[in-house]
Amino acid sequence: MTNWKTQSLVDGRWVGSLESDVLNPATGAVVGRVPNNGEAGARAAVDAAAGAFPPWSQTIAKQRGRVLRQWYDNIVAHREQLARLLTAEQGKPLAEARGEIDYAASFVEFYAEESRRIHGETIPSHRKDARILVWRQSIGVCAAITPWNFPAAMVTRKCAPALAAGCTVVLKPAMETPLTALALAQLFPHDLAPAGALNVITGDAAAIGKAWCDDPRVRLVSFTGSTEIGKLLIRQSAETVKKLSLELGGNAPFLVFDDADLDAAVDGAIFSKFRNMGQTCICANRFYVQADIYDRFAETLANRVRDMVVGDGTQEGVTQGPLISVDAVAKVQAHLDDAVAGGARIVCGGKPHDLGGTYFEPTVLADVEPTMRVCREETFGPVAPLICFDHEADAIALANASRSGLAAYFYTRDISRAIRCAEQLEAGMVGVNSPYLSCEAAPFGGVKESGLGREGGRDGIAEFLETKYVLLGGLEAP
Ligand code: ADP
């Protein structure tokens, strides 16, 4: 299957005229065209999902698991084509795109297994003639809205647990990167599930989002994206009292204590900060480095960053692709200008790359102050700002001085400090001596304004279930 469909998928049919261009951020070339749906398309998708909900939610769990397993096999069989499509519309280096397809597939595999483990409970009753039963039932039609930075993984991280739980789905991927989502939907084994179990539409995000929030048939909105849009969705969902699962912006602190393994900390910093050109919501946004090792850390990190290869992600050896858009470049530049104006020092990089377009030089900034925009806001680009601290308590206070709380990282060899800091950091996820937080089995999500709910692991399927308490009364007393 190399001819990917790019129309909308509604009720098992590919529909809509192709009106919006999808561009390759590395070259500016058009890589596909997708429909431009609005309110009517959004409603049609919910019609289909609502129609498919009774048969799909009543399908036995083992069978739903088999369907997901087949989807997983199909994705794995098309790994290379999917990775190339992903790089073409998103820009990340091909090696990272392959990694993302594997990561995306892992959610489908995990939830194929998990569908059979949606257990209920019996609770000791308050009456002799009654029993208390607790069931976990599919919540209903779920709306999924996904971002451009992980065009495959965010789709499966939402759709796989939803479908495993017996829910049906309407999905709207980001307009920058809709092709991977549509390709994944094409690979779904439609012959094994009711038409309308999985629907995907593209188009006007605001109109589609509003239509789904207003629709009482949509029982849950699962969103990954900016805090601003997350708050809008909360407001819009008030009228129909929807459940919301939100993975919003982060502003991850990365702490390096003077007892840390410095090389490991630099490795971690490189991965955390520069993967996907710094365009991940869990990427380190601000680095707090203890005074004794500050200069050495800055120098070692900058040496590694200078060696990075910027270019088209399809080319061998490239480690840094383009940013997603000119707006993204402008934001990175504005954050840098603000920092430099306030006295920060550029150790390496610091400007748009000679390749032009949306390429930016990977950058290390020293002498950064916590008041600067690079610390207060999510830069979402390849900039590592380094702040010096003296005491552990100061570092923790600085790390927690944010309204976001998605991920946090720190490096230390002291086990007491490790426990202490992991407990005190206000984040949904903490990486201790490791930046590799993302995996299908663990609960991914944030605290404070970084979101509600968790994705991945057992928590990730619980989002899509309602608890029902059944009192079975009138029984013969023993
Ligand atoms: P980013 O700034 O990283 O693009 P957004 O929050 O704008 O983050 O986008 C994340 C997802 O939310 C995308 O699919 C986008 O199309 C969608 N989106 C943007 N605006 C709205 C909106 N008003 N209602 C619903 N979804 C929206």
Side-chain angles (χ1 to χ4, degrees), residues 145-148 172-176 205-206 209 223-226 229 232-233:
I145 300 175
T146 54
W148 50 261
K172 191 209 78 63
M175 280 305 262
E176 291 88 343
F223 169 79
T224 298
S226 61
I229 300 297
L232 174 73
L233 295 175

Side-chain angles (χ1 to χ4, degrees), residues 79-415:
R79 176 182 190 248
E80 188 60 22
Q81 291 106 303
L82 287 168
R84 288 185 180 276
L85 184 65
L86 200 164
T87 292
E89 65 175 348
Q90 202 273 346
K92 67 179 64 178
L94 207 43
E96 282 191 34
R98 291 186 186 112
E100 184 181 339
I101 298 302
D102 294 343
Y103 179 47
S106 74
F107 288 104
V108 184
E109 183 184 40
F110 183 89
Y111 287 111
E113 297 157 0
E114 207 61 15
S115 65
R116 296 210 267 173
R117 305 200 183 100
I118 300 169
H119 299 169
E121 268 182 301
T122 56
I123 292 177
S125 178
H126 59 311
R127 297 177 60 99
K128 277 194 167 175
D129 67 344
R131 297 292 181 273
I132 295 174
L133 310 177
V134 180
W135 295 343
R136 316 265 179 229
Q137 293 185 307
S138 329
I139 194 166
V141 174
C142 297
I145 300 175
T146 54
W148 50 261
N149 60 344
F150 287 91
M154 297 305 99
V155 167
T156 56
R157 195 162 79 175
K158 296 180 189 312
C159 296
L163 290 163
C167 298
T168 53
V169 178
V170 291
L171 165 70
K172 191 209 78 63
M175 280 305 262
E176 291 88 343
T177 59
L179 303 178
T180 308
L182 290 162
L184 287 168
Q186 191 176 342
L187 293 171
F188 184 76
H190 294 281
D191 51 329
L192 302 179
L198 174 63
N199 307 275
V200 189
I201 64 168
T202 52
D204 180 341
I208 294 169
K210 176 84 168 57
W212 286 350
C213 288
D214 286 347
D215 196 322
R217 295 172 299 173
V218 175
R219 293 312 315 144
L220 175 143
V221 175
S222 177
F223 169 79
T224 298
S226 61
T227 304
E228 179 198 350
I229 300 297
K231 290 178 180 177
L232 174 73
L233 295 175
I234 293 173
R235 287 195 293 275
Q236 287 181 352
S237 296
E239 222 30 64
T240 54
V241 192
K242 278 190 216 319
K243 191 169 176 189
L244 288 151
S245 182
L246 305 174
E247 204 264 274
L248 309 178
N251 180 358
F254 189 112
L255 280 48
V256 188
F257 292 100
D258 57 13
D259 60 24
D261 176 338
L262 198 81
D263 290 335
V266 170
D267 281 348
I270 294 283
F271 177 86
S272 176
K273 178 69 259 183
F274 295 99
R275 179 175 62 124
N276 202 9
M277 290 72 68
Q279 302 173 117
T280 76
C281 48
I282 57 167
C283 72
N285 196 55
R286 42 201 174 112
F287 292 81
Y288 299 100
V289 186
Q290 204 155 12
D292 284 357
I293 54 160
Y294 183 85
D295 289 337
R296 203 146 55 89
F297 182 83
E299 197 184 303
T300 318
L301 181 66
N303 283 340
R304 292 278 300 275
V305 169
R306 284 190 196 97
D307 285 345
M308 287 177 165
V309 182
V310 178
D312 185 324
T314 55
Q315 286 166 13
E316 202 59 43
V318 164
T319 59
Q320 295 283 293
L323 296 189
I324 191 71
S325 65
V326 287
D327 288 351
V329 174
K331 185 176 180 189
V332 169
Q333 189 65 63
H335 280 200
L336 279 178
D337 292 347
D338 172 75
V340 170
R345 177 168 54 88
I346 292 171
V347 186
C348 66
K351 58 181 194 311
H353 195 274
D354 290 343
L355 285 170
T358 58
Y359 291 100
F360 205 92
E361 291 182 351
T363 299
V364 176
L365 264 184
D367 304 339
V368 172
E369 296 294 335
T371 48
M372 294 171 179
R373 287 184 70 188
V374 275
C375 287
R376 287 186 288 110
E377 299 172 29
E378 195 179 21
T379 304
F380 233 61
V383 179
L386 311 184
I387 305 110
C388 188
F389 73 89
D390 288 316
H391 305 293
E392 180 186 310
D394 303 338
I396 296 290
L398 286 165
N400 288 341
S402 168
R403 287 168 67 162
S404 302
L406 191 58
Y409 308 87
F410 65 89
Y411 281 71
T412 180
R413 285 181 170 124
D414 178 336
I415 184 73

